[in-house]
Amino acid sequence: MKTLITVRNSGIRRNLQIKGYGMYRVLTKWSCVCITILALLYSSKSYSQIIQDVGGVAATVHDKASFKDLPSESGLSGNKFQLNTYDAWLPIPPFKIGKTSVFSNLNYRLMDFNYDNNSIEDPNRIERIHEIKSVIIIRHPISSKWGILGIAMPTLAADFKKSASFDDLILDGILGVSRKFGAESNLEIGFGVHALYSFGETLITPGISIDYRSTNNKWLAQFYWPRLNVLYNVSPNTQVGLAGSIDWTRFNLKNYKGYNGKEVDYAQFSSIHGGLQVHQRLIGGIWLQAQAGMGLLNRYELFDGNQKTVNDFSISNMAYGKAALTYRLGRRK
């Protein structure tokens, strides 16, 4: 589900600054952990307090922005771009093996960069990124309060200027447990171990999630560092609130020579989004969602085959608007 995707999340951070490559890599590792846990807890309405949007489409439009920290030989200087992101996701029928439940879905994202001057040539000009992701969630109850969580999230991400290969595949997964609290089980806390393999690098990190629903069903809140989602039920058909996440996408570039002849193997684009959101039920389980806010601390980072940074470009802030049409399981208020 996205991040819906998400949001590789955009997020809300408190007095947080990115200082150097090391800190940035730490943030993106944590964002991966928490987006994974978000997808995990979203995928079963029997565990998650907030109803799952099992299928839908979404479009996000950003204001024009420009690259910073460019070398003098770059043709991107002064050439502003507009980022439009398109998402679609579909559920795959769930099934059970004994007490073990298996859920899955398929997600597609297109990030489209449109420049003021498309005739300017630059080896590092990013144009389109395609991301195809399958989310497979396994749940096994231990008791009425405890459950074992497992997830596999293989992702194919590339600009597809050449044919796809195994090098475009990112292997992602998590194993953990969750526990419900409260007389009505309206608070759920999950934690586990997360593993990510991409472009020859393996990351092992912890993760935690908090999912809350007030007993009167008026407030819904999630905090999956670095994701924040707060909703207030104005009526059974209308919700308003805050949203934030770190959206990041890591993808293969099929190897090329960048500035000063340095080899570039893959890249990562990230943005921190935070804003206001409104959800309106149209009919039955069909909902219209709108969100508006700002994309902050945007970055485009290039790496060589040894996971070393070749270039790290910051990007100016981007106002954004997002609209989504989703199908939501259940009719919980």
Side-chain angles (χ1 to χ4, degrees):
M1 323 33 309
K2 282 332 277 184
T3 72
L4 281 154
I5 161 177
T6 207
V7 130
R8 230 176 119 317
N9 276 173
S10 290
I12 295 177
R13 297 185 292 181
R14 188 176 300 171
N15 297 326
L16 183 63
Q17 297 178 344
I18 296 179
K19 296 183 179 180
Y21 170 70
M23 178 60 72
Y24 179 63
R25 295 296 295 276
V26 170
L27 289 175
T28 54
K29 293 174 188 178
W30 273 103
S31 69
C32 180
V33 173
C34 302
I35 289 173
T36 301
I37 293 179
L38 174 65
L40 184 62
L41 294 180
Y42 251 173
S43 299
S44 172
K45 68 174 182 176
S46 63
Y47 278 79
S48 178
Q49 308 294 353
I50 295 182
I51 298 170
Q52 176 196 11
D53 294 315
V54 295
V57 293
T60 305
V61 178
H62 295 81
D63 194 12
K64 287 186 177 182
S66 57
F67 290 97
K68 300 178 180 180
D69 309 321
L70 294 170
S72 58
E73 64 267 30
S74 173
L76 295 176
S77 298
N79 190 8
K80 291 187 175 183
F81 69 90
Q82 183 178 36
L83 169 61
N84 297 326
T85 302
Y86 307 97
D87 296 291
W89 62 104
L90 290 171
I92 298 174
F95 62 92
K96 297 189 71 173
I97 303 174
K99 293 183 178 181
T100 303
S101 301
V102 181
F103 307 83
S104 58
N105 73 352
L106 188 64
N107 305 268
Y108 171 73
R109 162 169 283 194
L110 170 64
M111 299 177 68
D112 187 17
F113 295 79
N114 300 289
Y115 294 83
D116 287 346
N117 190 344
N118 289 317
S119 64
I120 296 177
E121 294 294 332
D122 188 282
N124 292 324
R125 190 176 74 181
I126 182 174
E127 295 176 352
R128 287 181 178 85
I129 305 170
H130 302 266
E131 183 180 85
I132 301 171
K133 179 185 303 180
S134 177
V135 181
I136 304 168
I137 302 101
I138 301 173
R139 286 184 171 276
H140 182 82
I142 301 174
S143 67
S144 60
K145 294 290 186 179
W146 286 91
I148 298 176
L149 314 174
I151 186 169
M153 195 162 58
T155 302
L156 187 70
D159 56 9
F160 289 159
K161 290 184 177 180
K162 295 183 180 180
S163 58
S165 70
F166 186 77
D167 293 335
D168 300 316
L169 185 63
I170 298 173
L171 301 178
D172 204 355
I174 191 169
L175 181 64
V177 296
S178 70
R179 190 187 192 283
K180 297 179 181 180
F181 298 88
E184 298 185 16
S185 297
N186 60 314
L187 173 64
E188 183 176 11
I189 299 177
F191 52 92
V193 176
H194 171 265
L196 169 69
Y197 176 83
S198 63
F199 308 110
E201 181 182 34
T202 301
L203 305 177
I204 305 295
T205 50
I208 186 170
S209 64
I210 300 173
D211 196 337
Y212 171 77
R213 171 178 52 86
S214 64
T215 54
N216 63 2
N217 287 321
K218 281 294 186 180
W219 287 96
L220 304 172
Q222 300 168 308
F223 181 69
Y224 308 88
W225 166 249
R227 174 170 293 276
L228 174 68
N229 191 33
V230 178
L231 287 170
Y232 176 75
N233 287 312
V234 179
S235 72
N237 298 316
T238 305
Q239 298 172 320
V240 297
L242 305 173
S245 60
I246 290 180
D247 287 323
W248 63 275
T249 301
R250 179 178 287 196
F251 54 98
N252 192 10
L253 290 174
K254 300 297 183 186
N255 306 348
Y256 71 94
K257 298 294 183 180
Y259 305 132
N260 300 321
K262 294 181 179 180
E263 180 179 315
V264 177
D265 288 88
Y266 67 97
Q268 182 168 283
F269 183 91
S270 63
S271 179
I272 298 175
H273 290 88
L276 303 175
Q277 60 179 334
V278 177
H279 298 182
Q280 178 65 46
R281 187 198 308 273
L282 299 180
I283 182 172
I286 300 176
W287 288 72
L288 176 65
Q289 302 179 11
Q291 187 180 141
M294 185 68 68
L296 306 171
L297 297 177
N298 312 301
R299 306 200 74 82
Y300 180 48
E301 190 168 3
L302 305 173
F303 303 88
D304 63 19
N306 297 316
Q307 294 82 46
K308 302 296 184 182
T309 300
V310 176
N311 290 111
D312 187 2
F313 307 129
S314 60
I315 299 171
S316 59
N317 296 336
M318 303 180 294
Y320 76 92
K322 178 178 180 179
L325 191 65
T326 70
Y327 180 77
R328 183 172 294 184
L329 281 178
R331 296 183 62 88
R332 183 181 306 201
K333 295 179 182 180

